[in-house]
Structure formats: C-alpha cells, structure tokens
Amino acid sequence: SGACYDATTNTATICGDAGECTGTEACVSNFCNSACSTSSECTGNAAGNTTCNTFSTTCYDATSNTATICGDAGECTGTEACVSNFCNSACSSSSQCTGNAAGNTTCNTHSTTCYDATSNTNTTCADASTCTATQGCVNNFCTSCTANSDCTAQTSNTTCNTHSGACYDATTNTATICGDAGECTGTEACVSNFCNAACSASSQCSGNAAGNTTCNTFST
C-alpha cells in the first residue's frame, strides 16, 4: 500500500490481493483479514475462494458451492434453511429456519426440513414409536398411515389399515380390512373399516357383493 504501519499492534500479513492470504481470508486495505465486504477483496485467493459471502464476511468458492448466500431463511426458498450463511436443504435447528417467507420457520430435525408448525401441528418423528398408539410416522410426522412401513416401531400396532389410516395389531385382530362391505363376505358388515359379522346400521352393509346391503338391527 506504500503506507508505514505499526507491525507490533497489527500482525496481519500484508497483501496485494487475497493470493497472499490463507483459507477464506480476504485482502482488505492491503492486510489479510478474516472479514470481507466485497468479492474484489477475495481476488486471487489460492484456494479458489474468490467470492465474498457478505453475510458471513468470508471468501468462498462459488464454483463448487452454488448455494444462495443468506442472512436468514428469508433469502431461501420452500423448506430450505439458512445454514452457515448458505441456503441449505438440511436444517438441524429451528434458528436456521428463521425468516422463511413461506412460514416454514420450524425445523423438523428428523427430516431436516423447515416446516410451518402453525398449519401442521403434528408431532415430528423418526418412526412410529413416538406417535400415539394408532398413528403412523409419515414423512417424519405422526399422522394417518398409508403403508405398514409407516407403523414400524409401534409397540404392537405394526400393521396399517389403509382404509382408516390407523395402525393396528394384526395378531389380535385378524379381520379383513375394508372400505365397505364389498370387501367382506356373506352377511358381514364393514364396521370401523374391519369386516365384522355384526352390523348396527345399513350404511355398514353398503357395497355387499351378495346384495345384502340392509342391516337387520335385531340379528345384526
């Protein structure tokens, strides 16, 4: 820079550009400095970190890291988080989801995505062991099941009734699951999405293949 300075109080390496600095350091006012404010201060960086992340104030390689830089998740999209000042699809804490424009300001640490905890009040989960007895773990939220895999880790209700969306114990309940009585036989009704010999209303006989679509409430 051609300026005299006190090397006792300023021990930083002097530089013409960031090529004389290390790692993510910038060359600021001809001194190697960990904080950049513009990409011109990162010019020449030997590690390829020639672009300034103005939020973290560090130089980085924009060729290998094409993520959007961010101050918070407001600069990111969808369920993305702002992690170490870069938009990232994986969050590890809700603070990384702060500012998300879509309202996805809470981190589901199991799926590592930001979500809207106001509109989705379901418990987050890794498997169904943390859900209520009949709930499945679907996309890392406790909710209705759609497949047996959603019920994995339930204490005993490890089978999914795909009609009702509830996990159940297929060892103690061997009845056929049903959407209506069309999946049942003879005079059986479809009660609470299980084929059952006893009806209490004609709606439970709906779809019966044998034409037994009306319930005799006395004989059930």
Side-chain angles (χ1 to χ4, degrees):
S1 65
C4 299
Y5 76 101
D6 186 343
T8 304
T9 56
N10 184 351
T11 58
T13 302
I14 61 173
C15 54
D17 63 24
E20 288 152 291
C21 305
T22 58
T24 59
E25 281 190 323
C27 183
V28 181
S29 300
N30 297 111
F31 287 100
C32 291
N33 191 314
S34 58
C36 65
S37 58
T38 174
S39 291
S40 61
E41 296 169 339
C42 301
T43 299
N45 186 290
N49 298 320
T50 56
T51 304
C52 179
N53 182 325
T54 52
F55 294 104
S56 65
T57 68
T58 54
C59 301
Y60 76 102
D61 187 342
T63 302
S64 61
N65 184 351
T66 58
T68 302
I69 62 174
C70 54
D72 63 26
E75 281 124 334
C76 305
T77 58
T79 59
E80 279 190 323
C82 182
V83 182
S84 300
N85 297 111
F86 287 101
C87 291
N88 191 315
S89 58
C91 64
S92 58
S93 70
S94 292
S95 60
Q96 297 168 339
C97 301
T98 300
N100 187 291
N104 299 320
T105 56
T106 304
C107 179
N108 182 326
T109 53
H110 299 290
S111 64
T112 67
T113 54
C114 301
Y115 76 101
D116 187 342
T118 303
S119 61
N120 184 351
T121 57
N122 292 325
T123 303
T124 62
C125 54
D127 60 35
S129 64
T130 54
C131 303
T132 60
T134 59
Q135 283 186 321
C137 183
V138 182
N139 296 323
N140 297 111
F141 287 101
C142 292
T143 188
S144 299
C145 65
T146 58
N148 290 343
S149 58
D150 298 333
C151 301
T152 299
Q154 275 282 5
T155 303
S156 58
N157 298 325
T158 56
T159 303
C160 180
N161 183 322
T162 52
H163 294 289
S164 67
C167 300
Y168 75 101
D169 187 342
T171 305
T172 57
N173 184 352
T174 58
T176 302
I177 62 173
C178 54
D180 63 24
E183 287 153 292
C184 305
T185 58
T187 60
E188 279 190 323
C190 182
V191 181
S192 299
N193 297 110
F194 286 101
C195 290
N196 192 313
C199 64
S200 60
S202 292
S203 59
Q204 297 169 338
C205 301
S206 178
N208 187 289
N212 300 320
T213 56
T214 304
C215 179
N216 182 326
T217 53
F218 294 105
S219 66
T220 67

